[in-house]
Amino acid sequence: MQETMRQRIAEGKLFTDYCEGLPEDRLAAKRRMKRFNELDPADTQGRAALIAEILGAPANAWIEPPFYFCYGTNITIGDGTYINVNCSFIDDGRITIGERVMFGPSVNIATVSHPINPAMREFMFADPVTIGDDCWIGANVTICPGVTIGEGTTIGAGSVVTHDIPAHTVAVGVPCRVLREISETDMAEYRPGMTFADDELVRETKAA
């Protein structure tokens, strides 16, 4: 039996997206995207309903418009995750985002690539992207197909992530590389010389 395009996408094989209902799915997604990006900022209930419609399941996450995607239903977002403005997720392949992940503005996630061979450039192949719990993805980061970022990791602004990044590290650069492991000092200070214990916001939180 011949494989469907959706099977080929899931298996990382060459595919096209001109058949088998894929164009119709993308058009429906663009309409949902337009509705979301034009929503009244005060309509929090409408926002939650549209996020559930976009992802195909309810999500306890906050997404700032404008937000761009191909299908939406190939994206899974964990509880407490925040996605800042102008993020773009190319989700032909699956994008899995953990809980309490923070995205700066203009983060790009791509699951799709094209052959280098110019004669075959019209075709695509997809690899999933996974981001663990409690990550911080800085502004203008690009995450390439097939990348896994381990839990608790920080990716510095402007980085291009082409390979897996281990958990509990700080990684920066083009291409993105591990700068160092997260230290005890990082856990005690939010910037050099300023500890969480001395932070008024922490005291207010404990008093609440």
Side-chain angles (χ1 to χ4, degrees):
M1 181 182 296
Q2 186 175 2
E3 290 178 304
T4 68
M5 285 298 170
R6 295 173 196 272
Q7 288 172 326
R8 295 185 66 86
I9 292 170
E11 294 168 1
K13 297 180 179 179
L14 283 180
F15 72 93
T16 65
D17 58 3
Y18 307 130
C19 58
E20 297 180 10
L22 293 170
E24 290 80 4
D25 286 353
R26 286 195 306 281
L27 178 59
K30 287 177 182 178
R31 287 174 171 155
R32 290 191 290 269
M33 182 168 63
K34 182 175 186 293
R35 286 161 52 205
F36 180 79
N37 289 337
E38 294 177 352
L39 194 67
D40 185 330
D43 187 1
T44 55
Q45 289 185 338
R47 178 195 297 262
L50 265 175
I51 289 174
E53 189 177 337
I54 288 165
L55 302 178
N60 182 22
W62 190 266
I63 302 174
E64 300 282 4
F67 177 52
Y68 304 101
F69 50 89
C70 290
Y71 296 92
T73 50
N74 293 324
I75 303 169
T76 301
I77 302 176
D79 288 349
T81 284
Y82 174 79
I83 298 173
N84 212 324
V85 298
N86 204 43
C87 288
S88 179
F89 294 178
I90 308 302
D91 66 315
D92 294 72
R94 178 147 292 282
I95 297 172
T96 304
I97 299 166
E99 298 182 352
R100 301 172 301 279
V101 178
M102 293 188 66
F103 287 84
S106 300
V107 172
N108 299 302
I109 300 177
T111 64
V112 173
S113 191
H114 299 264
I116 293 175
N117 180 344
M120 301 295 289
R121 191 74 49 76
E122 66 178 299
F123 300 107
M124 299 170 278
F125 55 95
D127 287 308
V129 168
T130 302
I131 300 173
D133 296 343
D134 300 305
C135 288
W136 174 19
I137 311 299
N140 292 295
V141 166
T142 295
I143 300 172
C144 294
V147 163
T148 294
I149 298 174
E151 65 178 16
T153 282
T154 294
I155 305 295
S159 297
V160 178
V161 188
T162 59
H163 296 91
D164 291 354
I165 303 294
H168 306 295
T169 59
V170 176
V172 299
V174 182
C176 189
R177 294 185 174 88
V178 173
L179 179 65
R180 58 182 175 82
E181 293 185 353
I182 292 174
S183 67
E184 292 184 7
T185 300
D186 293 314
M187 302 304 290
E189 298 180 349
Y190 60 92
R191 61 188 304 172
M194 294 187 177
T195 66
F196 294 112
D198 294 334
D199 185 10
E200 292 179 359
L201 293 178
V202 173
R203 287 200 296 271
E204 289 178 5
T205 301
K206 290 180 179 178

